Amino acid sequence: MPLDPQIEMIIALVKKANAPEYWQLTPDQAREQYEMRVSKLTQKEDIFRSEERRIPGPAGDITVRIYTPRAPRPGEKFPVLVWYHGGGFVIGSLDTHDSACRLLANRTECNVVSVDYRLAPEHKFPAAVDDSLAALTWVARHAEEFGGDPHRLAVGGDSAGANLATAVAILARDAGTPKLAFQLLIYPCVAPEPETPSHHKFGEGYLLTRKTMTWFYQLYLRSKADLKDFRFAPLVADDLSNLPPALILVAGHDPLRDEGVDYARRLIEAGNAVALVNYEGMIHGFFLMGGAVDAAKRAVAESAQALRNA
């Protein structure tokens, strides 16, 4: 399927701007550019309440932003989605994914807890995983304090955030707690190295490039030994059984497409319930483009419906 015309227009505008790729910048410059790019494309929406809290983490406090869709009825507790933002473990923030969290909270009628985990290269692997698990554990223990139901928990994220969601789902299974009802995985990066056919086919000209992906991983990983750690590359995990049901969304023109498909297959082979949806005319990052791309709105709606069902 060809590129969606709305995506073609965005790619053309990015090319016309002639901005450097992320790998050509310092991490701080890349973060600033990403914030600017995302802010122009997101779908703006009000929400009943959002608040930030500082919670204990393995290396100091972690900031989380908690979204509440509406005033609860007497005695009502909302399901909770713990959300991990994307950005290659190097860029991205609570602000870049604020819109997505608002949309998911409103359409699912759940609390969304967005996690400001530590970024590379200041904090190498597995710092992001450690923070992500600590945040999930905190939510499971303290959900009732912000009107959440600790017995109805899901994890989710996009790209690197989906990677973190998969990792904490496996770690929670192994620990026996907390019990998770669902995984929402938006174009997850789960392979040890960017060497699938889609990485080569769509590695140039579709906003996310192979050079940028390689740069992200070089900044995040400590050494090649980390490539064999399932907390970075869930596809290398020996056991993927007994994991929560999952919705995996991939984009047809995304370098990460094939590894998302491969992970869905591995989960299904291990006996898990998985729905895999390919947005064929889309590119990596489209989920955040609801202000300009109709398919992004459909993807959010589909995600929210799957969360409600779970």
Side-chain angles (χ1 to χ4, degrees):
M1 181 176 178
L3 275 175
D4 182 284
Q6 292 175 320
I7 292 293
E8 284 187 325
M9 184 177 298
I10 289 170
I11 291 175
L13 288 172
V14 171
K15 287 181 178 177
K16 185 177 180 180
N18 199 30
E21 289 190 34
Y22 295 127
W23 63 270
Q24 296 173 305
L25 302 169
T26 67
D28 281 339
Q29 289 171 334
R31 291 163 189 158
E32 185 177 337
Q33 179 167 295
Y34 183 57
E35 298 256 0
M36 190 183 313
R37 182 175 293 176
V38 168
S39 68
K40 295 177 180 178
L41 297 171
T42 54
Q43 181 179 349
K44 306 300 187 286
E45 185 158 296
D46 291 332
I47 194 162
F48 174 68
R49 182 173 63 241
S50 70
E51 58 177 309
E52 291 188 6
R53 295 195 185 187
R54 301 281 288 174
I55 66 172
D61 286 351
I62 303 166
T63 301
V64 297
R65 187 175 293 170
I66 303 170
Y67 299 83
T68 302
R70 57 171 173 78
R73 293 182 284 269
E76 182 182 21
K77 296 189 183 302
F78 294 110
V80 184
L81 169 67
V82 182
W83 176 266
Y84 307 105
H85 69 77
F89 311 102
V90 176
I91 62 177
S93 67
L94 298 180
D95 290 337
T96 57
H97 288 65
D98 181 75
S99 172
C101 291
R102 288 168 179 254
L103 294 169
L104 288 169
N106 282 339
R107 281 150 185 69
T108 308
E109 290 213 331
C110 72
N111 288 133
V112 175
V113 180
S114 185
V115 181
D116 191 24
Y117 57 87
R118 286 172 289 166
L119 297 177
E122 296 89 344
H123 306 282
K124 297 277 192 176
F125 173 85
V129 180
D130 293 342
D131 284 1
S132 297
L133 182 61
L136 174 62
T137 303
W138 181 87
V139 168
R141 293 173 179 168
H142 297 272
E144 292 183 349
E145 295 175 10
F146 55 84
D149 184 347
H151 304 294
R152 290 188 290 166
L153 295 179
V155 292
D158 62 317
S159 193
N163 171 289
L164 296 169
T166 65
V168 298
I170 296 170
L171 291 167
R173 176 205 65 186
D174 292 348
T177 185
K179 298 293 184 184
L180 297 176
F182 197 69
Q183 303 176 79
L184 173 61
L185 308 177
I186 312 297
Y187 32 76
C189 56
V190 287
E193 294 184 272
E195 294 298 341
T196 62
S198 64
H199 268 289
H200 292 278
K201 184 174 183 179
F202 304 114
E204 291 289 339
Y206 299 92
L207 299 193
L208 177 65
T209 66
R210 274 181 58 77
K211 285 184 176 180
T212 290
M213 285 298 301
T214 301
W215 181 71
F216 284 150
Y217 294 164
Q218 287 173 343
L219 293 178
Y220 180 51
L221 298 178
R222 299 165 298 185
S223 71
K224 286 192 174 182
D226 291 337
L227 300 175
K228 301 176 182 178
D229 192 321
F230 76 85
R231 293 174 299 169
F232 168 67
L235 271 174
V236 308
D238 293 329
D239 180 12
L240 290 175
S241 63
N242 299 311
L243 289 169
L247 171 63
I248 299 178
L249 301 186
V250 298
H253 295 74
D254 182 357
L256 300 184
R257 182 195 65 194
D258 290 352
E259 59 196 82
V261 173
D262 289 345
Y263 193 62
R265 176 181 52 79
R266 283 284 313 280
L267 288 176
I268 292 168
E269 290 173 350
N272 302 291
V274 179
L276 172 67
V277 182
N278 182 2
Y279 280 75
E280 294 183 352
M282 293 294 106
I283 59 173
H284 193 82
F286 85 94
F287 195 78
L288 301 183
M289 299 179 184
V293 177
D294 293 336
K297 297 176 184 176
R298 294 197 298 272
V300 169
E302 185 165 16
S303 300
Q305 184 63 55
L307 283 164
R308 281 198 302 271
N309 293 344

